[in-house]
Amino acid sequence: MTTFQQHAGNGQPHTVAESVAGPADGARPATTAGVAQVLERMRALDRALPTDDGVAVFNRVYLAVTEAVAERVGNGTFEDPRAAGELDVHFARRYFTAVDADATGLRPPACWRPLFQLRRHPRIRPLQFALAGINAHIGHDLALAVVDTCRALECEPPALEGDFDRIGTLLTGLEEGIRETLMPGPDLLDIADPLTHLVGSWSLEMARDGAWAAARMLWGARRLPDVAEEFADRLDASVGLIGRCLLTPLG
């Protein structure tokens, strides 16, 4: 499965070139029910996966994020709750597509392959698994999810920018908690520990800013499908390389 052969909400594959070309016939925006279905799927994965599985570690993090977003969709946090919910659903579908590809013996996008290949490695720590998943999902999937959302809502990326930033602020706050929860205590970790240097080399804020820039580029290239295709493939590969580095086995 290539970067572009992700699945739309109806279960049929579509390309990014198709996503940016315009709305599909019969397209319907996601609703609160869609967010609820996303949460249900994540909770099912949480129950099914061994707790020490690297994908399970990321899934627990992502579940917490999605629960926080779902709560805020209904309390007036977002300028356009409908658009925020739509983005949340399209974003999650990219992750589920990677999960399903791996489960059926297909190749997930390059950005996800390090996590799925190394998910049971005994010398990779939980924080590394969490950050590798966040890197794949923010660095690659988020840009494509913005494109998917613009296609579904028949809008331009600037219409989503305010709520995109609100979700980003939420993610940044949650990331701090994730690092505190999964980082070994001070008696086990000091400044010389390789994990300190590894996790300090990656920034969610920078990944989020890069995702927004990539989404705008892909949308701007919607009439140049070959250019959009090549850009997305290169993005997928480069994010996968960063994920491979984040999953360097440690002693």
Side-chain angles (χ1 to χ4, degrees), residues 3-245:
T3 296
F4 290 117
Q5 291 176 331
Q6 307 288 348
H7 285 82
N10 61 6
Q12 297 300 315
H14 65 74
T15 70
V16 170
E18 290 169 346
S19 292
V20 299
D25 292 340
R28 294 291 183 270
T31 63
T32 303
V35 178
Q37 290 171 358
V38 166
L39 287 168
E40 181 180 352
R41 176 78 194 275
M42 289 179 184
R43 288 166 180 153
L45 286 169
D46 186 51
R47 292 190 296 269
L49 294 172
T51 57
D52 59 349
D53 180 287
V55 176
V57 173
F58 167 73
N59 189 78
R60 288 194 294 272
V61 168
Y62 193 14
L63 174 57
V65 170
T66 306
E67 288 172 339
V69 171
E71 179 182 351
R72 286 160 177 78
V73 164
N75 70 3
T77 297
F78 297 111
E79 290 179 3
D80 187 343
R82 174 171 166 262
E86 183 84 10
L87 177 58
D88 187 69
V89 170
H90 283 293
F91 192 29
R93 284 175 181 162
R94 294 276 169 182
Y95 163 57
F96 295 147
T97 296
V99 170
D100 292 340
D102 181 75
T104 56
L106 300 175
R107 283 167 63 85
C111 61
W112 284 106
R113 284 175 211 155
L115 179 60
F116 285 103
Q117 290 169 354
L118 299 170
R119 62 196 293 177
R120 297 180 181 87
H121 198 293
R123 293 194 294 115
I124 296 176
R125 303 186 193 181
L127 181 57
Q128 293 175 260
F129 288 130
L131 292 183
I134 295 170
N135 169 68
H137 206 36
I138 299 292
H140 172 264
D141 293 355
L142 183 55
L144 302 187
V146 169
V147 170
D148 293 339
T149 303
C150 288
R151 176 177 181 262
L153 298 180
E154 302 182 53
C155 69
E156 301 281 329
L160 304 177
E161 187 170 8
D163 286 334
F164 179 95
D165 288 341
R166 287 175 177 82
I167 292 174
T169 299
L170 172 64
L171 287 169
T172 300
L174 288 171
E175 187 210 11
E176 294 173 359
I178 291 162
R179 288 178 184 258
E180 291 175 1
T181 300
L182 296 179
M183 185 78 82
D187 56 328
L188 299 176
L189 186 68
D190 59 36
I191 196 169
D193 191 298
L195 184 60
T196 304
H197 299 279
L198 191 63
V199 301
S201 67
W202 186 85
S203 165
L204 186 148
E205 185 175 358
M206 291 183 67
R208 186 190 72 195
D209 290 347
W212 180 251
R216 294 193 63 182
M217 188 277 167
L218 286 167
W219 187 256
R222 62 189 180 278
R223 294 182 180 87
L224 299 169
D226 290 345
V227 174
E229 183 88 27
E230 181 178 357
F231 178 84
D233 283 345
R234 297 295 178 89
L235 178 66
D236 187 24
S238 63
V239 172
L241 180 60
I242 294 170
R244 183 75 59 180
C245 293

